[in-house]
Amino acid sequence: MTAPAYRRILLKLSGEALMGDDAFGINRDVVSRIVQEVAEVVSLGVEVGVVIGGGNIFRGMAGAASGMDRATADYMGMLATVMNAMALADAMKHVGVVARVQSALNMEAVVEPYIRGKAIRYLEDGKVVIFAAGTGNPFFTTDTAAALRGAEIGAEIVLKATKVDGIYTADPKKDPSATRYGKISFDEAIARNLQVLDATAFALCRDQKLPIKVFSIFATGALKRVVMGEDEGTLVHI
C-alpha cells in the first residue's frame, strides 16, 4: 500500500463542523463520522493533533454575550472548546482511538494542561492529541492556535476542515463558473485577499513554512485522501 504523504498533521476543526444541521450544540452522528475519518488515518500510522473551535456551543450563548467585554467573551469561547474537545475524545474512545485532551487554560481536574513535550510523546505513541482552549489568550482565534500548535509539534501540514471542498476563485454559491484552486502560494493568496485562515494564523504558517490544506470534512474519505497526497482540497504553500 502507498505510504501516507504526511506523517504528522494538525487538523483544525471548527466548532460548527460538529453541529451538522443543528442550530448549535453537538450532533453525535456528525461527531461519530468525523472520528471514523480520524481513526482511518491513525490506522495508517499518521500522527494526528487536533485543534477544535467552540462556535457551535458559543452560538447558543450569543444573546447573553452580546455587548460583553471582548476578553470575557473570548474566555467563554475557550471553555466551549474544552467541552468540544472532551466530546471528541470520548467519541474517539468508542472507535478504538486513544485521545488525550490538553488545555491552554489550567483545569487539571478535567483535562491535562498543555505541555509540548508530553504532547509530542503522545503523538509518537500513536495517540491523538486534542488541543483545547485556543492559545489560552483572548483576542487570538483557534486558527492562530492551530498554526501555533502545528509549528510547536513539528506538524508537516495544517489541515483546515471546512464545509467547502477548497478555495475557489469566487463564491461557488453565487458564481457557478467559479473554479477550485488545486494549489496556491501564500503570496498569491495574500494578493487575491483569500480568507484561508485569520491574518495572524496565516502569517505564522507562512513564516514557519508550514503549508495549509483546505478541504471539506463532510466529503467521505476526504481526510484520508488528503494525507495520502491525492488531489483533494486546496494546498497553500510557499
Side-chain angles (χ1 to χ4, degrees):
M1 186 177 68
T2 305
Y6 306 103
R7 289 295 183 180
R8 182 176 293 174
I9 64 173
L10 192 291
L11 176 64
K12 168 58 170 65
L13 283 171
S14 68
E16 286 79 359
L18 307 185
M19 286 169 32
D21 295 326
D22 298 342
F24 56 86
I26 299 171
N27 184 303
R28 194 69 188 187
D29 290 338
V30 172
V31 172
S32 295
R33 194 187 59 74
I34 290 173
V35 300
Q36 287 285 359
E37 298 266 333
V38 173
E40 190 171 12
V41 301
V42 169
S43 71
L44 298 174
V46 178
E47 298 173 4
V48 182
V50 180
V51 167
I52 183 76
N56 58 319
I57 294 175
F58 199 67
R59 184 177 295 186
M61 303 183 289
S66 179
M68 184 178 290
D69 177 80
R70 168 65 189 276
T72 300
D74 281 358
Y75 280 118
M76 289 172 63
M78 291 178 214
L79 297 178
T81 72
V82 175
M83 288 188 276
N84 280 341
M86 293 173 67
L88 203 59
D90 181 76
M92 287 185 182
K93 178 177 66 178
H94 291 289
V95 296
V97 174
V98 179
R100 293 287 183 268
V101 178
Q102 291 197 342
S103 171
L105 293 179
N106 194 349
M107 47 182 76
E108 292 186 54
V110 181
V111 292
E112 297 181 21
Y114 169 65
I115 300 174
R116 175 177 173 268
K118 184 177 284 189
I120 291 173
R121 287 197 298 274
Y122 284 152
L123 292 170
E124 291 172 342
D125 288 342
K127 299 179 176 69
V128 172
V129 183
I130 306 171
F131 301 105
T135 66
N137 303 286
F139 309 108
F140 290 94
T141 68
T142 50
D143 275 354
T144 299
L148 179 62
R149 297 293 182 245
E152 286 182 310
I153 66 172
E156 298 169 88
I157 191 168
V158 170
L159 305 182
K160 181 166 183 178
T162 69
K163 294 183 177 181
V164 294
D165 62 347
I167 303 170
Y168 281 76
T169 54
D171 186 343
K173 293 181 180 178
K174 299 178 181 178
D175 184 355
S177 66
T179 57
R180 176 177 62 86
Y181 291 103
K183 59 175 61 177
I184 188 170
S185 69
F186 280 96
D187 290 342
E188 187 176 358
I190 292 171
R192 294 180 180 273
N193 196 30
L194 300 176
Q195 304 300 312
V196 183
L197 300 173
D198 75 73
T200 303
F202 190 80
L204 180 56
C205 285
R206 180 192 60 192
D207 293 347
Q208 296 301 315
K209 298 179 174 58
L210 182 59
I212 305 163
K213 173 81 82 164
V214 180
F215 75 105
S216 172
I217 193 63
F218 296 104
T220 302
L223 181 58
K224 180 181 178 181
R225 290 193 293 275
V226 168
V227 301
M228 296 304 291
E230 297 180 23
D231 181 22
E232 185 78 25
T234 300
L235 177 69
V236 185
H237 60 95
I238 294 295

